[in-house]
Amino acid sequence: MKVTVSQQHLAHGLGLVSRAVAPRSTLPVLGNVLLATDEGRLRLAATNLELGISCWLGAQIQEEGSITVPARLFADLIGTLPNEMIHLAVNPRSMALSVKCGSSSTELKGIDAAEFPPVPAVDSDHGVLLPVADFKEMIQQVAFAASTEEARPVLQGVQMVISGDEISLAATDGFRISVRQMRLSEPVAQSISVIIPARALQELARIAQDGEVRLIVPPGRGQVVFQMENLQLTSQLIDGNFPDYKVILPRSYKTHTIVSTEALLKAVKQAEIIARMGNGVVRLHLQKFDDRPGQIEISAQSEETGANESLVDANIEGPALAIAFNVKFLREALEVIKTPNLVLQTNDNRSPARLQPVGDESFQHVIMPMHLG
């Protein structure tokens, strides 16, 4: 292989694929990045067998070929080189990659590309086209609510259901549920229901550029593929039954509180500074008055650090209420609500509460309260 590619493009491409490199593996090749010529372009790829990312770079191909080299070592080297053209060449006898740029010359020991896990081809004519910006927002509003505990793998995933002209994402860790729906530009011929690892979707949101993403679920492979211009992410699906969260969601609420998203988030962040050193709890006291608008008293206390209290004006319909939440969970939910105002819907201090953007029913977040003595 002999290839010439710009340092800037190569460094950017390595930044995209390197998150899929296996940090620790019994297979040394999984710690490597694949470099391969592919129809007049240079392909970079990395995989940990659960997640795979490939990207294609414009390059001058003098000689076809491929090799894998240690990902961290290669990325560190490219990052130190000047913004000039880089000449890459493979010595097939010693299985080494020569890297020349300006006055710098380096040789890296590699592993034969034949040992790198192959990426099966997919039918690009099929699949569902989604606007990248909208799908990234969906991921950001849902994936954070997935569990990080390995005991229940299903809860580490996001349920994706595509039916008719609608796509929905849902995630839960048993204490909170985030659900987001979106209309498709055209209905799908066949419904899809799969569980995608939350980490894979978060990586997709990190690397996806503007434009469209094509979502493909190849039949019988247990995989989902996301294709973009010059970029592809492949993830294994999670096998299992996702909880029927619709049964858990309350059908009605007694108290409806409309409040500024920014003001409530600011107050919760201040409370978290105190709460995180104690029991991690924030209390919300919904208060009503006859002569003026209602308000929410947001408070937290810790024996070690002290106490914090903030007041935020709110429009409250229904009975007044004092309710407590895990402060991190509440803050994370507030951070993904994009509208100026939100509605907090509650029944009592032991029942799930719902957060929703005002004027937007496509997103809802249900959170269990903390039971305090």
Side-chain angles (χ1 to χ4, degrees):
M1 180 178 87
K2 286 185 181 176
V3 174
T4 303
V5 61
S6 87
Q7 184 272 345
Q8 202 172 3
H9 289 165
L10 186 54
H12 177 68
L14 288 169
L16 292 176
V17 304
S18 61
R19 292 288 282 270
V21 174
R24 292 172 297 278
S25 174
T26 52
L27 289 172
V29 76
L30 296 184
N32 283 14
V33 61
L34 170 74
L35 289 84
T37 55
D38 186 356
E39 297 181 352
R41 295 182 295 173
L42 176 64
R43 177 182 164 223
L44 305 178
T47 181
N48 59 14
L49 297 182
E50 292 181 359
L51 175 73
I53 302 174
S54 295
C55 83
W56 288 262
L57 308 175
Q60 298 167 24
I61 311 293
Q62 288 92 35
E63 200 173 294
E64 302 279 344
S66 58
I67 193 172
T68 78
V69 289
R72 178 83 182 269
L73 199 66
F74 188 50
D76 286 350
L77 171 66
I78 299 305
T80 65
L81 296 177
N83 185 11
E84 297 176 16
M85 299 307 288
I86 295 177
H87 305 280
L88 304 173
V90 173
N91 182 333
R93 291 184 183 176
S94 63
M95 200 47 66
L97 177 70
S98 164
V99 183
K100 292 182 179 179
C101 181
S103 59
S104 167
S105 179
T106 309
E107 192 170 89
L108 295 177
K109 296 286 185 183
I111 298 176
D112 194 333
E115 294 187 33
F116 194 81
V119 178
V122 292
D123 186 354
S124 297
D125 295 334
H126 295 87
V128 182
L129 272 178
L130 301 167
V132 166
D134 293 341
F135 193 53
K136 280 172 75 166
E137 185 176 281
M138 289 186 80
I139 292 168
Q140 286 157 0
Q141 289 184 316
V142 170
F144 74 93
S147 175
T148 55
E149 302 289 328
E150 295 183 4
R152 294 184 67 187
V154 161
L155 298 188
Q156 290 184 291
V158 173
Q159 183 191 49
M160 182 179 74
V161 177
I162 304 177
S163 181
D165 65 347
E166 190 173 86
I167 175 173
S168 76
L169 298 182
T172 178
D173 59 6
F175 302 101
R176 51 186 172 166
I177 304 164
S178 228
V179 185
R180 171 70 197 271
Q181 282 131 356
M182 183 176 73
R183 291 274 175 208
L184 300 173
S185 56
E186 55 184 65
V188 293
Q190 195 167 359
S191 296
I192 296 169
S193 180
V194 292
I195 304 170
I196 305 170
R199 189 197 157 212
L201 287 175
Q202 287 164 332
E203 288 301 330
L204 176 67
R206 183 183 69 87
I207 66 174
Q209 312 295 325
D210 293 337
E212 290 185 313
V213 55
R214 184 179 294 276
L215 183 161
I216 305 163
V217 181
R221 287 240 299 263
Q223 287 182 326
V224 62
V225 180
F226 296 97
Q227 289 182 338
M228 294 144 283
E229 187 179 7
N230 300 324
L231 197 59
Q232 178 173 302
L233 183 146
T234 304
S235 171
Q236 298 286 29
L237 296 172
I238 296 174
D239 195 23
N241 296 315
F242 198 79
D244 186 1
Y245 61 88
K246 292 176 184 175
V247 176
I248 306 163
L249 301 179
R251 301 196 176 181
S252 61
Y253 296 89
K254 295 174 184 173
T255 303
H256 298 255
T257 303
I258 294 177
V259 61
S260 159
T261 307
E262 185 182 359
L264 184 57
L265 176 58
K266 186 177 178 181
V268 168
K269 282 182 173 178
Q270 289 172 1
E272 186 175 16
I273 294 167
I274 299 297
R276 67 187 175 207
M277 299 300 291
N279 57 7
V281 170
V282 61
R283 291 172 173 81
L284 272 60
H285 187 191
L286 313 180
Q287 304 175 90
K288 295 178 69 177
F289 307 102
D290 294 332
D291 57 338
R292 55 194 170 94
Q295 66 183 17
I296 307 175
E297 178 189 279
I298 301 103
S299 63
Q301 58 185 35
S302 159
E303 287 185 11
E304 287 184 33
T305 49
N308 170 266
E309 184 181 295
S310 301
L311 296 173
V312 176
D313 290 338
N315 183 2
I316 300 170
E317 292 181 11
L321 175 70
I323 191 167
F325 297 107
N326 177 308
V327 69
K328 175 177 174 282
F329 287 2
L330 182 59
R331 189 248 310 150
E332 288 180 337
L334 294 173
E335 284 177 334
V336 299
I337 293 178
K338 306 296 183 183
T339 53
N341 297 314
L342 65 88
V343 57
L344 169 65
Q345 297 170 303
T346 48
N347 281 318
D348 55 55
N349 61 9
R350 290 178 172 269
S351 302
R354 179 166 70 180
L355 292 157
Q356 229 175 351
V358 167
D360 179 9
E361 295 190 358
S362 68
F363 172 66
Q364 62 175 316
H365 184 88
V366 174
I367 179 170
M368 288 297 295
M370 303 286 282
H371 295 173
L372 301 174

